[in-house]
């Protein structure tokens, strides 16, 4: 009997937060642990609840490092995050005025439609805050300690995942209480959050050990590797793109190799072995970078659909035959038939999750998604082992969904796990079982998962200025690092790696929320200042001035990072 023909479906959920710590190890922004309590726990729980579902989870090492750090804070009850410190402080009157004002500003940074308005008690706190802001310069001084206690508790309740709420009687009790939270309430909530965060990575590791999920990685601090290797990679997709004044990033190849090797080491320490695949930061790939991955023994990597389209145009420039997406997208490739397998994101399907389905009912969205996959299954008849790659962030989209995407994800996994023609798998599964189905790709274009090029990270005046500041700092590192002992040299390299992350360059631009642009601009310059401090050299005066003229509206705060702008 001939086996049923299947369409392989891979969900790759990218988990990433940049390093939010300052030189003293204090967290400037709480997004790492808040996403852990809301999104990373929900994404895991859906797989635990459905043993037939399969997925890839990509954990960036700098995120894992911060989760480890938060776990240590909970174990020691010594908090370096202002929000957690507020929960842990018995008498909130002892908090200084600056911290109280910062908490008031922070505790409404979320999506109001799904994380504020559904909770009348929380909404009342917001309405009062808005009234006070209009009438008093020192607004925080007019609000009671009880107001602050209720606000801090509600902010954390709003940032809990739907699966956690349904399983935790404490969360349910606090939500029902609504107001008048005392120190015992805050202590109990703090313990719940601590147990959630410290248990998170072991739970993911357990699923990986059963083979239900694959855990992949990214170079350590999420650098956009093709640009570190060569700024001119930006002109592959945009030939007229303005480049930084510096001709290239000094020693870029060595830095990419170091960040990659550090990631492999970290992954082995946390998950019991080397990853089989790498999701590159921002889906940014180039032929040179893929060669580096192959040299490290990686079996697969992935990027965006636009990169594949340009790669095929470069490979077959004289071809006039118009092809449908089903003829080229739903395959694995290898560059010139060698090296890691290359998978390319179905942008339309991935972006439906990232952008569109948030306004649908969970049932209708899941049904629509499955029907679209069934259409691809029919369109790929005759192809050997067709595969659909759905790749997006595992964190940022869900706060814009009702119930954090609970009904959509639950129904989607159930439908796909029991479908006769759609087979959930991981990239490692596919390479192992169908690796010989990969087609040779003569030329690989350089680009990312956003527009298929690098315009989101280079070419804008502010972005280019940020690159030049990094290049100048790297030159200083090269000049000074040999004068320090081995331990201090490693501190310098770690700080340099933080400055190389892709997030800093992404945020510059007027298409991002103004408040978030200012946050990341300031943190990036702080990281550069700390690098100069480690070199025992004065920081350039230009680091005292904002890189960007500003952003767009000041809505939402730091969580719009990828769920809004990149469909993931």
């Amino acid at each position: 009997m001939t086996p049923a023909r299947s369409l392989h479906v891979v969900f790759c959920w990218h988990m990433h937060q940049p390093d939010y710590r300052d030189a003293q190890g204090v967290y400037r922004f709480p997004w790492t642990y808040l996403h852990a309590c809301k999104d990373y726990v929900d994404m895991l729980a859906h797989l635990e609840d459905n043993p037939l579902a399969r997925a890839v989870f990509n954990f960036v090492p700098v995120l894992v490092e911060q989760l480890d750090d938060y776990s240590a804070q909970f174990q020691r009850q010594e908090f370096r995050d202002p929000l957690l410190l507020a929960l842990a402080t018995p008498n909130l009157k002892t908090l200084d005025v600056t911290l109280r004002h910062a908490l008031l500003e922070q505790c409404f940074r979320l999506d109001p439609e799904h994380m504020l308005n559904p909770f009348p008690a929380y909404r009342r706190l917001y309405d009062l805050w808005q009234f006070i802001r209009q009438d008093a310069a020192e607004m925080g001084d007019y609000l009671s300690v009880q107001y602050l206690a209720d606000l801090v508790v509600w902010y954390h309740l709003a940032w809990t995942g739907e699966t956690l709420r349904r399983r935790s009687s404490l969360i349910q009790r606090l939500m029902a209480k609504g107001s008048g939270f005392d120190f015992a309430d805050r202590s109990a909530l703090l313990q719940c959050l601590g147990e959630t965060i410290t248990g998170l990575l072991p739970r993911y590791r357990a699923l990986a050990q059963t083979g239900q999920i694959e855990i992949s990685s990214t170079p350590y601090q999420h650098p956009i590797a093709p640009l570190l290797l060569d700024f001119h990679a930006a002109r592959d997709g945009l030939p007229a793109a303005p480049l930084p004044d510096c001709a290239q990033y000094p020693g870029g190849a060595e830095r990419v190799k170091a960040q990659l090797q550090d990631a492999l080491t970290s992954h082995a320490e946390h998950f019991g072995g080397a990853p089989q695949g790498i999701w590159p930061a921002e889906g940014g790939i180039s032929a040179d970078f893929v060669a580096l991955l192959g040299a490290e023994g990686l079996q697969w990597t992935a990027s965006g659909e636009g990169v594949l389209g340009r790669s095929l145009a470069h490979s077959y420039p004289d071809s006039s035959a118009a092809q449908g997406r089903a003829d080229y997208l739903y395959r694995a490739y290898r560059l010139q038939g060698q090296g890691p397998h290359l998978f390319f994101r179905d942008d339309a399907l991935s972006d439906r999750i990232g952008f569109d389905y948030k306004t649908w009912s969970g049932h209708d969205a899941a049904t629509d998604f499955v029907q679209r996959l069934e259409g691809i299954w029919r369109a790929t008849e005759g192809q050997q082992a067709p595969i659909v790659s759905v790749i997006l962030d595992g964190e940022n989209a869900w706060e814009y969904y009702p119930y954090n995407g609970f009904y959509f994800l639950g129904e989607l996994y159930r439908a796909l796990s029991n479908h006769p023609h759609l087979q959930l798998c991981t990239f490692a599964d596919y390479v192992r079982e169908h690796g010989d189905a990969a087609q040779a790709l003569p030329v690989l274009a350089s680009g990312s998962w956003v527009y298929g090029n690098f315009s989101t990270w280079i070419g804008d005046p502010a972005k280019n200025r940020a690159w030049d500041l990094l290049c100048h700092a790297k030159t200083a590192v090269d000049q000074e690092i040999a004068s320090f002992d081995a331990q201090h040299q490693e501190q310098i390299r770690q700080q340099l790696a933080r400055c190389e992350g892709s997030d800093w360059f992404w945020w510059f631009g007027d298409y991002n929320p103004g408040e978030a642009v200012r946050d990341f601009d300031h943190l990036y310059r702080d990281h550069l200042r700390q690098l100069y401090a480690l070199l025992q050299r004065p920081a350039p005066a230009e680091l005292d001035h904002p890189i960007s003229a500003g952003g767009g509206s000041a809505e939402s705060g730091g969580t719009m990072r990828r769920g809004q702008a990149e469909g993931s």
Side-chain angles (χ1 to χ4, degrees):
M1 183 177 178
T2 303
R5 181 177 63 87
S6 295
L7 174 68
H8 298 83
V9 180
V10 175
F11 288 103
C12 180
W13 304 109
H14 176 53
M15 312 296 213
H16 166 56
Q17 298 293 326
D19 196 334
Y20 294 118
R21 293 167 290 188
D22 64 17
Q24 288 72 44
V26 175
Y27 281 84
R28 294 282 299 277
F29 308 109
W31 309 125
T32 295
Y33 89 86
L34 291 179
H35 278 297
C37 294
K38 186 173 76 72
D39 304 302
Y40 304 149
V41 68
D42 267 7
M43 298 301 287
L44 171 71
H46 282 293
L47 271 293
E48 291 175 331
D49 290 344
N50 189 340
L52 296 179
R54 301 176 73 78
V56 179
F57 289 92
N58 189 79
F59 272 94
V60 179
V62 67
L63 168 61
V64 174
E65 178 185 321
Q66 291 177 90
L67 291 174
D68 282 346
D69 187 30
Y70 274 109
S71 295
Q73 291 179 63
F74 280 105
Q75 290 165 2
R76 298 169 186 159
Q77 292 293 292
E78 297 175 355
F79 296 106
R80 287 175 280 105
D81 188 294
L83 277 172
L84 292 176
L85 182 62
L87 277 182
T89 299
N91 185 354
L92 294 180
K93 288 182 179 179
T94 63
L95 298 179
D96 65 53
V97 173
T98 300
L99 179 55
R100 291 179 64 179
H101 289 186
L103 291 173
L104 291 166
E105 290 289 348
Q106 177 63 50
C107 287
F108 295 113
R109 296 184 70 175
L110 39 62
D111 177 60
E113 180 179 354
H114 298 105
M115 298 175 69
L116 174 71
N117 293 340
F119 310 114
Y122 191 16
R123 178 72 200 198
R124 284 195 294 272
L125 298 176
Y126 176 77
D127 291 341
L128 179 58
W129 168 239
Q130 291 300 102
F131 178 77
I132 293 293
R133 290 183 75 178
Q134 296 173 17
D135 290 352
E138 297 298 326
M139 54 277 187
D141 299 335
Y142 286 83
L143 297 172
S144 70
V145 170
Q146 186 61 61
Y147 176 95
L148 189 62
D150 288 359
L151 180 61
V152 171
V153 168
W154 264 114
Y155 190 59
H156 285 93
L157 292 176
W159 274 95
T160 53
E162 186 66 19
T163 60
L164 181 59
R165 293 175 189 173
R166 290 169 184 248
R167 297 176 184 182
S168 171
S169 59
L170 171 69
I171 300 296
Q172 295 167 16
R173 178 179 68 79
L174 293 177
M175 285 187 160
K177 183 175 182 178
S179 62
F181 300 117
D182 56 23
F183 181 58
D185 293 326
R186 287 186 280 121
S187 296
L189 179 57
L190 190 69
Q191 181 178 352
C192 176
L193 300 180
E195 291 171 353
T196 300
I197 291 172
T198 56
L200 197 62
L201 291 179
R203 289 168 63 188
Y204 273 100
R205 185 165 57 244
L207 282 189
Q209 289 171 347
T210 69
Q212 186 180 355
I213 68 172
E214 176 185 0
I215 302 179
S216 56
S217 189
T218 297
Y220 200 98
Q221 291 277 355
H222 208 261
I224 191 152
L227 294 180
L228 292 186
L229 293 171
D230 183 4
F231 285 157
H232 286 82
R235 288 186 170 163
D236 190 344
L238 295 171
L243 297 181
D245 291 337
C246 296
Q248 62 183 9
Y249 183 64
E254 289 74 20
R255 292 302 306 147
V256 171
K257 291 177 185 176
Q259 291 238 25
L260 177 58
Q261 290 166 356
D262 287 346
L264 300 181
T265 299
S266 172
H267 194 94
E269 291 173 351
H270 286 90
F271 303 113
Q276 296 189 55
I278 289 287
W279 168 251
E282 319 297 2
I285 61 173
S286 64
D288 289 342
F289 182 52
V290 169
L292 291 179
L293 296 180
E296 293 292 343
L298 278 305
Q299 296 298 304
W300 65 264
T301 190
S303 186
E305 181 178 338
V307 173
L308 176 60
R310 291 199 301 105
S311 298
L312 293 172
H314 291 337
S315 298
Y316 307 105
D318 298 327
S319 175
S320 59
Q323 289 185 313
R325 293 168 75 244
D327 295 320
Y328 64 84
L329 179 58
Y330 305 116
R331 306 175 184 271
Y333 291 86
R334 298 179 79 185
L335 181 56
Q336 299 176 357
Q338 303 176 25
H341 287 68
L342 307 175
F343 298 94
F344 295 93
R345 176 182 190 259
D346 185 316
D347 287 349
L349 278 179
S350 302
D351 286 348
R352 292 193 77 80
I353 297 176
F355 294 108
D356 299 337
Y357 288 147
K358 63 187 179 183
T359 62
W360 293 40
S361 75
H363 171 77
D364 289 349
T367 300
D368 181 78
F369 195 88
V370 171
Q371 289 175 346
R372 290 174 184 276
L373 288 174
E374 290 170 341
I376 296 170
W377 174 75
R378 290 189 292 270
T380 54
E381 183 177 5
Q383 291 186 20
Q384 182 184 1
I387 180 171
V388 177
S389 300
V390 179
I391 306 173
L392 62 158
D393 275 7
E395 58 224 343
N396 288 326
W398 310 119
E399 65 199 75
Y400 303 97
Y401 276 67
Y403 302 100
N404 212 44
F406 178 84
Y407 292 103
F408 166 68
L409 282 171
E411 186 154 346
L412 181 63
Y413 279 133
R414 286 191 296 273
L416 293 177
S417 297
N418 296 283
H419 199 285
H421 306 304
L422 305 175
Q423 180 180 337
L424 290 174
C425 69
T426 69
F427 288 130
D429 292 338
Y430 187 91
V431 170
R432 182 178 61 254
E433 298 170 9
H434 304 288
D436 58 354
Q439 292 194 355
L441 186 65
V443 177
L444 178 64
S446 299
S448 76
W449 64 349
V450 186
Y451 313 128
N453 58 46
F454 293 117
S455 62
T456 304
W457 298 273
I458 198 168
D460 171 272
K463 298 177 192 294
N464 287 350
R465 184 184 172 208
W467 278 110
D468 283 327
L469 291 172
L470 178 60
C471 289
H472 298 157
K474 177 57 164 61
T475 299
V477 168
D478 293 342
Q479 293 170 346
E480 303 291 348
I481 192 169
S483 62
F484 299 98
D485 62 34
Q487 182 178 1
H488 195 85
Q489 287 185 22
E490 182 58 26
Q491 291 178 330
I492 292 171
R493 293 190 186 98
Q494 290 177 5
Q495 186 62 26
L496 175 63
R498 292 185 181 94
C499 299
E500 292 169 340
S502 71
D503 295 78
W504 319 120
F505 309 99
W506 190 94
W507 277 104
F508 298 121
D510 58 9
Y511 50 83
N512 279 316
E515 186 175 11
V517 173
R518 291 190 294 272
D519 287 346
F520 279 80
D521 186 332
H522 193 229
L523 186 55
Y524 176 59
R525 288 182 287 116
D526 274 359
H527 279 315
L528 287 173
R529 287 192 197 94
Q530 174 62 10
L531 181 57
Y532 281 102
L534 288 169
L535 294 172
Q536 299 177 9
R537 287 178 56 160
E542 57 188 330
L543 292 180
D544 295 332
H545 305 286
I547 295 170
S548 178
S553 68
E555 297 175 359
S556 180
T559 61
M560 287 185 71
R561 168 68 177 97
R562 292 184 175 79
Q564 294 296 283
E566 297 179 17
S568 61

